[in-house]
Amino acid sequence: ILEYRTNKDVSFTDDYMFCFASLYPKECIHYMTIDNYVSFARDLELVSFDVKSILPFHENIDLIRSFLKESLDALKTVVVCLKEYQIKNFLKHIDLPYVETNEYDIFPQKLNIISKEIMQGFIYQDLVVLSDKDLFHVKASKKSYKTNFKYASKIKDLTKLSIGDYVVHHVHGIGIYNGIRTLS
């Protein structure tokens, strides 16, 4: 090993994964809350991320319709993000003017319907974004293993096994019982 290392080792002259100078931020943004507010904060340029969450509507179409109408009357831009198959059903129940668009062409102060799946909706300034999880009661799907062998039990008596029976071993898997032999 030592012989290989002395023959093949080359002195490393490049930078490693990063240069320490690149770790220093060029612009500094301070995130402040009431708890850590200090007197010098008045002199800083602060960015506000005052995002509000949306309470779920649980498929109450009247509540959804009134929320959308109130938001549009307040001149807010409403974006409803649904899956493709949910859009047609949603539009049947909403009696409001809407625009079907994509996430890059959002029309201000209108009800925008886009085919996109997002985790959760939010309200940020004049933007209201709704997801299917906010509008509908979405159940988490439980995946179960489907098999024809619903009734199984541990072998308690080997004399009840017949040659040719299917057996399952916890390490080796499925096999066919061929009898018991003594190995020497």
Side-chain angles (χ1 to χ4, degrees):
I1 293 175
L2 291 173
E3 208 174 287
Y4 176 82
R5 182 164 188 209
T6 55
N7 290 338
K8 299 292 179 184
D9 235 3
V10 194
S11 60
F12 186 74
T13 57
D14 289 336
D15 287 338
Y16 284 96
M17 294 172 132
F18 56 84
C19 175
F20 282 112
S22 66
L23 293 179
Y24 293 110
K26 294 180 175 82
E27 294 180 24
C28 188
I29 297 176
H30 298 275
Y31 296 97
M32 311 282 297
T33 63
I34 279 233
D35 295 337
N36 64 3
Y37 182 78
V38 289
S39 61
F40 66 86
R42 286 187 300 263
D43 302 331
L44 298 176
E45 182 180 333
L46 298 177
V47 178
S48 172
F49 293 103
D50 188 22
V51 177
K52 297 173 186 155
S53 60
I54 297 173
L55 296 174
F57 293 100
H58 298 294
E59 298 181 5
N60 185 340
I61 196 68
D62 294 327
L63 192 60
I64 294 170
R65 194 179 299 124
S66 67
F67 178 78
L68 291 174
K69 185 158 179 32
E70 287 172 15
S71 298
L72 292 170
D73 288 344
L75 301 177
K76 293 187 177 189
T77 302
V78 180
V79 179
V80 179
C81 302
L82 298 173
K83 296 175 188 153
E84 194 68 42
Y85 71 92
Q86 293 171 325
I87 292 176
K88 290 179 186 174
N89 192 27
F90 178 74
L91 293 177
K92 285 181 199 174
H93 302 289
I94 300 300
D95 302 325
L96 296 168
Y98 64 90
V99 177
E100 283 192 66
T101 184
N102 59 39
E103 68 233 49
Y104 304 109
D105 296 322
I106 302 296
F107 293 89
Q109 300 175 359
K110 295 192 186 261
L111 174 59
N112 296 271
I113 310 291
I114 64 172
S115 175
K116 180 133 184 108
E117 187 174 356
I118 61 172
M119 292 301 294
Q120 185 178 354
F122 59 90
I123 299 173
Y124 176 68
Q125 295 177 352
D126 289 336
L127 178 67
V128 178
V129 179
L130 298 169
S131 73
D132 60 339
K133 291 157 194 76
D134 299 321
L135 300 172
F136 312 119
H137 179 68
V138 180
K139 293 181 184 177
S141 63
K142 292 183 180 179
K143 298 195 180 200
S144 62
Y145 180 73
K146 295 188 178 180
T147 179
N148 293 332
F149 304 103
K150 296 191 187 304
Y151 306 106
S153 61
K154 290 185 178 182
I155 300 172
K156 295 180 180 164
D157 187 9
L158 291 176
T159 58
K160 292 186 179 178
L161 279 176
S162 302
I163 293 179
D165 284 348
Y166 288 100
V167 292
V168 178
H169 189 273
H170 68 89
V171 174
H172 301 290
I174 299 174
I176 298 176
Y177 179 69
N178 287 329
I180 295 179
R181 295 187 205 141
T182 306
L183 300 175
S184 55

